[in-house]
Amino acid sequence: MQVDILNKEGKKTGRTIELPEEIFGVEPNNHVIYLAVKQYLAAQRQGTHKVKTRAEVKGASRKLHKQKGTGGSRKGNIRNPLYKGGGTIFGPKPHRYEIKLNRKVKDLAKISALSTKAKENSIIVLEDLNLDAPKTKQFAGILANLNVNVAGRKTLFVLPEYNDNVYLSLRNIPTVDSVMLSDINTYDIMNSNYIVLTESAAKIFTEEPVEA
Protein backbone atom coordinates (compact mmCIF):
# COMPACT_ATOMS: atom_id res chain seq x y z
CA MET A 1 0.00 0.00 0.00
CA GLN A 2 1.66 3.19 -1.23
CA VAL A 3 0.98 6.30 0.89
CA ASP A 4 2.18 9.85 0.32
CA ILE A 5 4.11 11.55 3.11
CA LEU A 6 2.66 14.96 3.89
CA ASN A 7 4.31 17.97 5.52
CA LYS A 8 2.92 20.27 8.20
CA GLU A 9 1.20 22.36 5.54
CA GLY A 10 -0.73 19.31 4.39
CA LYS A 11 1.10 19.15 1.06
CA LYS A 12 2.90 16.19 -0.50
CA THR A 13 6.63 16.07 0.16
CA GLY A 14 7.28 14.04 -2.96
CA ARG A 15 8.18 11.03 -0.84
CA THR A 16 6.07 7.93 -0.29
CA ILE A 17 6.13 4.96 2.04
CA GLU A 18 5.08 1.39 1.35
CA LEU A 19 2.85 0.07 4.10
CA PRO A 20 2.75 -3.75 4.15
CA GLU A 21 -0.30 -5.37 2.55
CA GLU A 22 -0.36 -8.10 5.22
CA ILE A 23 -1.23 -5.41 7.78
CA PHE A 24 -3.11 -2.75 5.81
CA GLY A 25 -4.55 -4.77 2.95
CA VAL A 26 -6.24 -7.84 4.40
CA GLU A 27 -9.96 -8.58 4.34
CA PRO A 28 -11.22 -7.24 7.71
CA ASN A 29 -12.69 -9.75 10.13
CA ASN A 30 -15.49 -7.82 11.83
CA HIS A 31 -16.14 -10.49 14.45
CA VAL A 32 -12.63 -10.41 15.91
CA ILE A 33 -12.78 -6.60 15.89
CA TYR A 34 -15.97 -6.88 17.95
CA LEU A 35 -14.32 -9.29 20.38
CA ALA A 36 -11.26 -7.07 20.84
CA VAL A 37 -13.36 -3.94 21.42
CA LYS A 38 -15.58 -5.87 23.85
CA GLN A 39 -12.50 -7.04 25.76
CA TYR A 40 -11.10 -3.50 25.95
CA LEU A 41 -14.33 -1.97 27.22
CA ALA A 42 -14.86 -4.78 29.72
CA ALA A 43 -11.36 -4.22 31.12
CA GLN A 44 -12.26 -0.57 31.84
CA ARG A 45 -14.95 -1.63 34.32
CA GLN A 46 -13.82 -1.64 37.93
CA GLY A 47 -16.36 -4.21 39.05
CA THR A 48 -16.58 -2.73 42.57
CA HIS A 49 -20.40 -2.60 42.65
CA LYS A 50 -21.80 -4.01 45.89
CA VAL A 51 -25.09 -4.14 47.81
CA LYS A 52 -25.82 -5.48 51.27
CA THR A 53 -27.69 -8.69 51.76
CA ARG A 54 -30.04 -9.37 54.69
CA ALA A 55 -27.05 -10.75 56.58
CA GLU A 56 -25.20 -7.42 56.31
CA VAL A 57 -27.80 -4.68 56.82
CA LYS A 58 -28.40 -3.10 60.20
CA GLY A 59 -31.31 -4.43 62.23
CA ALA A 60 -32.35 -6.89 64.94
CA SER A 61 -32.43 -10.57 64.15
CA ARG A 62 -35.46 -11.38 66.32
CA LYS A 63 -38.64 -12.62 64.74
CA LEU A 64 -41.20 -9.79 64.46
CA HIS A 65 -44.10 -11.84 65.77
CA LYS A 66 -45.05 -15.43 66.28
CA GLN A 67 -45.62 -17.65 63.29
CA LYS A 68 -49.32 -18.41 63.83
CA GLY A 69 -52.36 -16.87 65.44
CA THR A 70 -51.98 -13.22 64.39
CA GLY A 71 -54.13 -13.39 61.27
CA GLY A 72 -51.29 -11.79 59.33
CA SER A 73 -48.64 -13.16 57.05
CA ARG A 74 -45.59 -14.99 58.30
CA LYS A 75 -42.62 -12.71 58.96
CA GLY A 76 -39.00 -13.16 59.77
CA ASN A 77 -36.87 -10.30 61.08
CA ILE A 78 -36.78 -6.62 60.15
CA ARG A 79 -33.88 -7.24 57.72
CA ASN A 80 -36.29 -9.07 55.41
CA PRO A 81 -35.80 -7.79 51.82
CA LEU A 82 -39.53 -6.99 51.66
CA TYR A 83 -39.12 -4.21 54.26
CA LYS A 84 -37.67 -0.76 53.78
CA GLY A 85 -34.03 -0.86 54.82
CA GLY A 86 -33.90 -4.61 54.39
CA GLY A 87 -31.29 -6.52 52.45
CA THR A 88 -31.21 -6.74 48.67
CA ILE A 89 -32.01 -9.98 46.89
CA PHE A 90 -29.59 -11.11 44.17
CA GLY A 91 -27.84 -7.75 44.07
CA PRO A 92 -24.49 -7.12 42.35
CA LYS A 93 -21.29 -8.37 43.95
CA PRO A 94 -17.69 -7.34 43.18
CA HIS A 95 -16.27 -9.34 40.30
CA ARG A 96 -13.93 -8.98 37.35
CA TYR A 97 -15.16 -8.32 33.83
CA GLU A 98 -11.98 -9.32 32.03
CA ILE A 99 -12.35 -11.40 28.89
CA LYS A 100 -9.51 -13.61 27.67
CA LEU A 101 -8.54 -13.46 24.02
CA ASN A 102 -5.80 -15.44 22.36
CA ARG A 103 -2.80 -13.53 21.08
CA LYS A 104 -3.52 -14.45 17.45
CA VAL A 105 -7.09 -13.17 17.78
CA LYS A 106 -5.91 -9.82 19.15
CA ASP A 107 -3.31 -9.51 16.39
CA LEU A 108 -5.90 -10.29 13.72
CA ALA A 109 -8.31 -7.75 15.25
CA LYS A 110 -5.68 -5.01 15.15
CA ILE A 111 -4.71 -5.84 11.57
CA SER A 112 -8.39 -5.94 10.55
CA ALA A 113 -8.97 -2.53 12.15
CA LEU A 114 -5.99 -1.00 10.34
CA SER A 115 -7.13 -2.55 7.05
CA THR A 116 -10.60 -1.11 7.59
CA LYS A 117 -9.16 2.39 8.01
CA ALA A 118 -6.94 1.88 4.97
CA LYS A 119 -9.97 0.93 2.86
CA GLU A 120 -11.70 4.11 4.05
CA ASN A 121 -8.63 6.19 3.06
CA SER A 122 -8.46 7.37 6.65
CA ILE A 123 -4.73 6.78 7.21
CA ILE A 124 -2.39 9.76 6.84
CA VAL A 125 1.40 9.72 7.08
CA LEU A 126 2.91 12.97 8.35
CA GLU A 127 6.57 13.86 8.37
CA ASP A 128 8.13 13.83 11.83
CA LEU A 129 7.29 16.80 14.04
CA ASN A 130 9.96 18.70 15.94
CA LEU A 131 8.13 21.07 18.24
CA ASP A 132 10.40 23.32 20.31
CA ALA A 133 7.66 23.93 22.87
CA PRO A 134 4.04 22.89 23.51
CA LYS A 135 1.79 24.94 21.23
CA THR A 136 -1.84 23.86 21.01
CA LYS A 137 -2.69 26.53 18.44
CA GLN A 138 0.18 25.48 16.22
CA PHE A 139 -0.78 21.81 16.46
CA ALA A 140 -4.43 22.59 15.71
CA GLY A 141 -3.23 24.43 12.61
CA ILE A 142 -1.33 21.35 11.45
CA LEU A 143 -4.46 19.21 11.87
CA ALA A 144 -6.48 21.78 9.95
CA ASN A 145 -3.94 21.63 7.10
CA LEU A 146 -4.34 17.86 7.05
CA ASN A 147 -8.11 18.38 6.86
CA VAL A 148 -8.76 16.12 9.86
CA ASN A 149 -9.66 18.78 12.42
CA VAL A 150 -13.36 18.58 11.53
CA ALA A 151 -16.11 19.04 14.09
CA GLY A 152 -17.31 15.70 15.43
CA ARG A 153 -14.42 13.80 13.83
CA LYS A 154 -11.89 12.01 16.02
CA THR A 155 -8.19 11.77 15.20
CA LEU A 156 -5.66 9.31 16.59
CA PHE A 157 -2.09 10.62 16.44
CA VAL A 158 0.40 7.74 16.46
CA LEU A 159 4.00 8.32 17.58
CA PRO A 160 6.96 5.93 17.66
CA GLU A 161 7.78 7.03 21.22
CA TYR A 162 6.48 9.46 23.82
CA ASN A 163 6.98 13.13 22.92
CA ASP A 164 6.22 15.57 25.71
CA ASN A 165 5.79 18.63 23.47
CA VAL A 166 3.41 16.84 21.12
CA TYR A 167 1.35 15.41 23.98
CA LEU A 168 1.05 18.77 25.74
CA SER A 169 0.11 20.43 22.44
CA LEU A 170 -2.81 18.13 21.68
CA ARG A 171 -4.19 17.17 25.09
CA ASN A 172 -6.56 20.18 25.17
CA ILE A 173 -8.05 19.34 21.77
CA PRO A 174 -11.09 17.21 22.68
CA THR A 175 -11.29 15.30 19.38
CA VAL A 176 -7.61 14.33 19.24
CA ASP A 177 -5.79 11.62 21.14
CA SER A 178 -2.22 10.37 20.96
CA VAL A 179 -0.75 6.92 21.47
CA MET A 180 2.62 5.28 21.06
CA LEU A 181 2.72 2.67 18.32
CA SER A 182 3.61 -0.04 20.84
CA ASP A 183 0.43 0.77 22.83
CA ILE A 184 -2.04 1.06 19.98
CA ASN A 185 -5.10 -1.17 20.29
CA THR A 186 -8.15 -2.10 18.25
CA TYR A 187 -10.51 0.13 20.23
CA ASP A 188 -8.38 3.25 19.68
CA ILE A 189 -8.24 2.54 15.95
CA MET A 190 -11.97 1.92 15.53
CA ASN A 191 -12.90 4.83 17.80
CA SER A 192 -11.12 7.28 15.47
CA ASN A 193 -12.15 8.69 12.13
CA TYR A 194 -8.57 9.40 11.06
CA ILE A 195 -5.25 7.75 11.90
CA VAL A 196 -2.25 10.08 11.59
CA LEU A 197 1.05 8.19 11.59
CA THR A 198 4.30 10.06 11.91
CA GLU A 199 6.87 9.02 9.34
CA SER A 200 9.02 7.28 11.96
CA ALA A 201 6.02 5.35 13.29
CA ALA A 202 5.00 4.28 9.77
CA LYS A 203 8.51 3.00 9.03
CA ILE A 204 8.29 0.61 12.00
CA PHE A 205 5.57 -1.31 10.17
CA THR A 206 8.04 -2.10 7.41
CA GLU A 207 10.68 -3.28 9.87
CA GLU A 208 8.90 -5.23 12.59
CA PRO A 209 5.68 -7.25 12.91
CA VAL A 210 2.80 -5.65 14.78
CA GLU A 211 2.55 -6.69 18.42
CA ALA A 212 -0.67 -6.80 20.43
Side-chain angles (χ1 to χ4, degrees):
M1 175 182 170
Q2 202 79 15
V3 180
D4 292 309
I5 299 175
L6 307 181
N7 58 23
K8 293 186 291 186
E9 286 72 39
K11 299 179 181 178
K12 297 179 181 179
T13 60
R15 294 179 288 116
T16 61
I17 187 169
E18 183 71 29
L19 296 178
E21 288 292 329
E22 60 269 21
I23 297 176
F24 294 88
V26 305
E27 184 63 32
N29 187 320
N30 293 328
H31 183 63
V32 296
I33 292 176
Y34 158 76
L35 292 176
V37 170
K38 181 180 179 181
Q39 181 198 39
Y40 178 88
L41 294 176
Q44 307 309 303
R45 302 184 68 175
Q46 291 183 330
T48 55
H49 36 40
K50 174 72 169 67
V51 296
K52 290 184 177 181
T53 65
R54 64 184 300 166
E56 298 168 312
V57 296
K58 188 176 181 179
S61 60
R62 69 178 180 82
K63 189 171 175 63
L64 292 177
H65 58 72
K66 62 182 182 177
Q67 184 83 343
K68 297 180 178 293
T70 64
S73 62
R74 296 169 291 183
K75 296 182 177 67
N77 57 43
I78 197 64
R79 293 179 296 182
N80 189 318
L82 300 179
Y83 290 108
K84 180 180 178 180
T88 301
I89 308 173
F90 303 130
K93 297 179 180 179
H95 68 91
R96 302 169 74 93
Y97 283 93
E98 292 180 0
I99 301 171
K100 183 184 181 302
L101 284 184
N102 293 332
R103 179 64 172 269
K104 289 184 178 180
V105 174
K106 292 194 291 184
D107 285 347
L108 179 58
K110 192 182 301 183
I111 290 172
S112 295
L114 289 171
S115 295
T116 298
K117 294 302 177 183
K119 283 189 173 184
E120 297 172 353
N121 295 319
S122 300
I123 295 180
I124 299 170
V125 179
L126 176 69
E127 64 180 2
D128 292 336
L129 293 177
N130 294 312
L131 302 179
D132 298 328
K135 293 288 183 181
T136 300
K137 186 175 181 179
Q138 178 184 356
F139 195 87
I142 295 173
L143 295 177
N145 293 335
L146 296 175
N147 200 28
V148 297
N149 194 15
V150 184
R153 296 277 182 167
K154 297 179 180 179
T155 302
L156 182 65
F157 204 83
V158 184
L159 301 165
E161 57 188 15
Y162 179 75
N163 186 307
D164 198 48
N165 288 338
V166 172
Y167 172 72
L168 294 175
S169 297
L170 61 80
R171 67 176 179 175
N172 286 332
I173 305 177
T175 57
V176 181
D177 197 8
S178 69
V179 66
M180 291 190 296
L181 183 59
S182 58
D183 295 333
I184 196 170
N185 60 70
T186 304
Y187 176 81
D188 287 337
I189 298 170
M190 297 306 297
N191 193 43
S192 302
N193 299 104
Y194 298 101
I195 309 293
V196 178
L197 297 166
T198 61
E199 187 175 353
S200 296
K203 285 180 177 178
I204 296 176
F205 283 107
T206 64
E207 299 169 359
E208 300 176 1
V210 175
E211 295 183 0

